[in-house]
Amino acid sequence: MTLTLILFYAFIAVVSVQIIYYLSFLFSFGIKHAETRIKKHIPISIIICAKNEAENLKKNIPLILNQNYSNFEIVLVNDSSSDDSLEIMEEFASNYNSIKLVNVKVSEAFWGNKKYALTLGIKASKHEFLVFTDADCKPNSNEWLAHLSSHFSNEKSIVLGYGAYAKKKFSLLNKLIRFETVMTALQYFSYANMKSPYMGVGRNMAYKKDLFFNNCGFSSHMSIKSGDDDLFINEVSNPSNTAICFTKESFTISEPKTSFKAWVLQKRRHISTAKHYKSKHKILLGLFYMTQLLFWILGIVLCFIGFSWLWVTILIILRFIIQWFCFGFSAQKLKESDLIFWMPILEILLVTSQLSIFIINLISKPKHWK
């Protein structure tokens, strides 16, 4: 058997895995309808941990205070900020009885560890149901809290939401950041929908306080700088306790990074936690990424050498049609339809970026969360 034939058979296997993955895992979310079921307002504690976020706090706390919700508090956690964040928080706390302030001072043992600051915020909260977002996030509507909290029930103690990034015109980096965000959401929503939840994003998620303390909080991964969201959810979620919420009213919107270097630094922290996931999730996510990478490598090589170009072209088109179908439905649900046309370019940029970040992380570990 010639090397070229081996490459062709490998390409068939790669395309088959990609198609199976899209039609089994990702299609399940693509066809799911967003549920709107506003219930009686249960008491909620919103936890916001901030480090050097003075301007974002000024802009976004009023939007959270303006939520159309009858029973909630905001716990503002100042994580040893060096700017005016503490002063801004103190001003809000003095003007609103519903705001509680937790000031985390520099600690040698926990310096730069967001999990320590979050733990103090959770301990200070007075309600059983906790909602998490970041200081640089704004709710997409004044019904954000109502939509997210409505998915709690006797069975559901975790709610996963969507944390979008603001759109910027004429920016390829912005499209890449939003594409990566949609692909990540597409996967964690799909896995949760298929009773195998594995992560959430701290920009927009919720869980019950007793779930946190029954798990001893972040203790099993406190030494890892990131992972307060995905590692915790990977540890405590199960097939029956996790709900997903993706109505447009429930989104949060964050300002994206404006330089490629800053985005890479952010992704280095995020990617570094994946190796600590449960084995089944590492295998499934790793297989998806490897077949994505090999699809482009093998496809380009086979097209370049002109081997069986008709069948190679058919396989490439078939895979793209199924991918567009699944991604298109999901992008529309998440109000990111403008990315559909750019998908092939964005995918190859994302795959190569992720490979580069993985290699960089092998050489040196990412540092503190900010």
Side-chain angles (χ1 to χ4, degrees):
M1 186 179 294
T2 65
L3 176 60
T4 306
L5 195 58
I6 292 173
L7 292 176
F8 178 65
Y9 285 145
F11 185 63
I12 292 174
V14 164
V15 172
S16 299
V17 170
Q18 282 275 291
I19 289 173
I20 291 169
Y21 196 98
Y22 273 103
L23 291 182
S24 58
F25 283 89
L26 306 187
F27 185 66
S28 68
F29 174 67
I31 60 174
K32 186 176 179 65
H33 293 289
E35 297 179 14
T36 304
R37 45 179 183 180
I38 305 301
K39 301 177 181 176
K40 180 181 178 181
H41 292 178
I42 58 176
I44 292 286
S45 292
I46 303 172
I47 314 290
I48 301 174
C49 185
K51 187 178 185 71
N52 299 327
E53 295 279 8
E55 293 305 313
N56 283 322
L57 289 165
K58 287 180 188 178
K59 289 188 299 183
N60 295 328
I61 296 304
L63 299 176
I64 295 177
L65 286 166
N66 194 42
Q67 286 296 297
N68 183 21
Y69 203 85
S70 60
N71 192 357
F72 71 98
E73 69 167 356
I74 302 173
V75 180
L76 296 177
V77 185
N78 175 50
D79 188 10
S80 308
S81 298
S82 58
D83 67 355
D84 295 331
S85 292
L86 178 58
E87 289 75 12
I88 299 299
M89 291 181 182
E90 287 174 337
E91 185 177 350
F92 275 116
S94 65
N95 291 330
Y96 297 93
N97 293 330
S98 59
I99 292 182
K100 184 178 294 182
L101 173 60
V102 176
N103 185 27
V104 181
K105 297 182 180 180
V106 175
S107 164
E108 265 190 48
F110 298 107
W111 187 79
N113 195 326
K114 184 181 180 182
K115 295 172 188 172
Y116 174 65
L118 276 174
T119 299
L120 296 183
I122 291 169
K123 287 182 176 180
S125 63
K126 67 179 181 180
H127 298 311
E128 171 63 17
F129 296 93
L130 310 176
V131 168
F132 297 84
T133 189
D134 289 338
D136 65 342
C137 298
K138 65 177 182 180
N140 200 38
S141 74
N142 64 359
E143 296 291 334
W144 162 67
L145 194 54
H147 279 251
L148 202 66
S149 65
S150 70
H151 289 267
F152 279 120
S153 67
N154 291 334
E155 297 80 26
K156 305 299 182 183
S157 54
I158 301 171
V159 184
L160 307 179
Y162 179 56
Y165 282 105
K167 298 178 182 180
K168 306 293 181 183
K169 291 182 178 180
F170 313 116
S171 171
L172 183 60
L173 175 61
N174 178 258
K175 286 182 172 60
L176 177 61
I177 291 172
R178 291 191 292 117
F179 177 75
E180 189 269 339
T181 303
V182 173
M183 286 301 298
T184 300
L186 173 55
Q187 292 189 80
Y188 71 72
F189 280 146
S190 295
Y191 276 67
N193 190 49
M194 294 188 70
K195 310 300 181 185
S196 186
Y198 77 95
M199 70 161 283
V201 291
R203 301 189 302 277
N204 197 12
M205 70 180 193
Y207 51 78
K208 292 179 69 174
K209 188 188 292 187
D210 65 357
L211 187 70
F212 181 81
F213 288 115
N214 290 342
N215 188 64
C216 298
F218 305 123
S219 60
S220 65
H221 48 85
M222 183 65 83
S223 61
I224 302 169
K225 298 302 180 185
S226 56
D228 55 277
D229 46 10
D230 60 342
L231 283 184
F232 180 74
I233 297 300
N234 194 259
E235 196 168 54
V236 302
S237 61
N238 62 49
S240 61
N241 73 351
T242 305
I244 60 176
C245 180
F246 54 94
T247 55
K248 65 179 181 180
E249 293 86 358
S250 70
F251 298 169
T252 58
I253 312 293
S254 304
E255 286 298 316
K257 301 297 183 183
T258 55
S259 73
F260 185 74
K261 181 180 179 181
W263 178 68
V264 167
L265 288 173
Q266 181 186 55
K267 298 317 298 178
R268 284 188 65 192
R269 292 192 299 270
H270 294 171
I271 289 176
S272 67
T273 62
K275 64 182 179 181
H276 301 285
Y277 289 176
K278 292 173 184 174
S279 295
K280 64 177 180 179
H281 296 136
K282 286 193 289 187
I283 292 170
L284 288 170
L285 294 168
L287 181 63
F288 179 65
Y289 172 74
M290 286 303 300
T291 52
Q292 268 188 314
L293 179 62
L294 289 172
F295 170 80
W296 285 100
I297 293 174
L298 294 174
I300 290 171
V301 169
L302 289 169
C303 287
F304 180 76
I305 63 179
F307 178 82
S308 193
W309 65 269
L310 178 60
W311 284 108
V312 171
T313 303
I314 290 172
L315 288 170
I316 290 173
I317 292 173
L318 177 62
R319 188 265 191 179
F320 273 130
I321 289 174
I322 292 172
Q323 184 189 38
W324 249 311
F325 187 68
C326 295
F327 179 81
F329 272 114
S330 301
Q332 287 180 334
K333 292 179 191 299
L334 302 178
K335 307 306 173 187
E336 304 282 9
S337 299
D338 63 303
L339 299 176
I340 297 173
F341 174 79
W342 292 87
M343 189 185 65
I345 296 171
L346 295 172
E347 183 186 30
I348 195 168
L349 287 174
L350 181 60
V351 168
T352 53
S353 297
Q354 288 173 328
L355 179 62
S356 301
I357 293 168
F358 177 76
I359 294 171
I360 293 170
N361 276 4
L362 288 178
I363 300 170
S364 64
K365 294 182 179 180
K367 305 297 181 184
H368 309 293
W369 78 282
K370 280 211 175 186

